[in-house]
Amino acid sequence: MRQNRLRELWKSGGAALNGWLAIPNSFSAETMAHQGWDSLTIDLQHGVVDYQALIPMLQAISTTPTVPVVRVPWLEPGILMKTLDAGAYGVICPMVNTREDAQKLVAYTHYAPRGTRSFGPVRALLYGGADYPQHANDTIVSFAMIETAQALDNLDAILSVEGLDAIYIGPSDLSLALGCTPTFDDVDPKAAEAIDHILERAKAHGIVAGIHNGTPEKALERIAKGFQFVTVSSDARLMAAGAQQVVAKMRTRPTPAASGGY
């Protein structure tokens, strides 16, 4: 079976640089995949991507060594299993708030006897290899999102669930849950304290910690603290930022002569 480079990176003590895909287009996904990201996450929760768009995006990512990850809309067995059957090598599940939620996530993403995942890896066999069924349980990565006050209260119980590989912090939702301003990087002190606490407890349980970032500078800072999976921005935000820079530079040039133009 094709190896999961995320697991290889983490085993060596390294951190993975993750890109984020909110645009439902295979060409933009392919373009992002060729830029050197360790992994790319297709966002089915807040992106404008549906399952029909997901498949060609996964196929596009497959033209590179980039690891395909999907954030599902919710903790629901059908979409988790369909996403893995489509060839995702990692799944990020939002709003995991209790130990029971984490146990369900592990069960839905693992074949028996370790879980209840239904068998039907229709595209995963093509991407992962003919021996996918024998090795999927030890290859796929499952992330539980920690982003609510309830999840903080149950943090150690969640982190102690056998088979959970990683957690992923959504700073905006976590900030909102704590009565703070929703943002990625310059979070309020209460949210910053919670993020540090989550990281500390994840390390204590031997669980990989991931987090969303707005800038490379913040991602590097968080890697230095011990995060091993850092997302920087998204395809839509990066496209908008690049376009804004071009337009801003063009608008500062001298006004064209009457006979000319842009």
Side-chain angles (χ1 to χ4, degrees):
M1 182 175 172
R2 185 195 298 251
Q3 297 297 306
N4 191 327
R5 294 179 64 236
L6 290 179
R7 288 192 179 276
E8 294 174 351
L9 270 173
W10 296 339
K11 187 177 181 179
S12 68
L17 175 59
N18 180 62
W20 202 260
L21 305 180
I23 301 172
N25 185 273
S26 61
F27 179 59
S28 60
E30 184 177 27
T31 300
M32 284 283 284
H34 280 264
Q35 305 315 308
W37 304 92
D38 295 311
S39 58
L40 282 174
T41 296
I42 302 172
D43 189 5
L44 297 187
Q45 185 190 21
H46 292 307
V48 289
V49 184
D50 61 17
Y51 191 80
Q52 294 305 311
L54 170 70
I55 305 303
M57 293 173 73
L58 288 171
Q59 292 170 325
I61 294 170
S62 296
T63 63
T64 73
T66 308
V67 179
V69 180
V70 176
R71 178 164 74 169
V72 295
W74 210 251
L75 177 58
E76 191 276 315
I79 191 60
L80 279 161
M81 295 181 196
K82 281 178 70 70
T83 294
L84 293 176
D85 288 345
Y89 255 36
V91 288
I92 299 175
C93 185
M95 298 293 176
V96 174
N97 295 319
T98 65
R99 179 178 176 82
E100 182 183 9
D101 286 345
Q103 289 173 326
K104 288 179 179 179
L105 173 61
V106 171
Y108 298 158
T109 54
H110 290 77
Y111 291 125
R114 288 159 59 180
T116 59
R117 179 183 173 189
S118 179
F119 187 79
V122 58
R123 183 178 174 271
L125 283 170
L126 300 176
Y127 178 74
D131 57 347
Y132 178 93
Q134 289 75 42
H135 301 290
N137 281 353
D138 296 317
T139 303
I140 300 303
V141 174
S142 298
F143 292 80
M145 290 198 72
I146 306 297
E147 50 186 346
T148 67
Q150 185 183 12
L152 280 175
D153 290 340
N154 295 313
L155 185 57
D156 282 301
I158 292 170
L159 293 170
S160 64
V161 170
E162 185 177 357
L164 183 66
D165 301 298
I167 56 95
Y168 189 75
I169 300 173
S172 293
D173 271 325
L174 182 62
S175 293
L176 279 173
L178 298 175
C180 302
T181 303
T183 186
F184 290 144
D185 293 350
D186 297 324
V187 296
D188 293 343
K190 187 175 181 180
E193 183 179 339
I195 289 171
D196 288 342
H197 175 64
I198 294 168
L199 174 61
E200 176 192 353
R201 298 314 302 155
K203 287 180 179 179
H205 285 271
I207 298 291
V208 168
I211 190 167
H212 209 104
N213 306 271
T215 63
E217 292 77 16
K218 194 64 178 182
L220 288 169
E221 177 186 320
R222 285 170 169 163
I223 288 174
K225 285 187 172 184
F227 282 96
Q228 288 186 271
F229 184 85
V230 292
T231 300
V232 179
S233 195
S234 71
D235 53 357
R237 288 174 180 268
L238 291 170
M239 181 173 68
Q244 287 171 358
Q245 289 180 6
V246 171
V247 171
K249 288 181 180 179
M250 293 300 294
R251 294 304 186 198
T252 58
R253 64 175 289 186
T255 304
S259 58
Y262 286 124

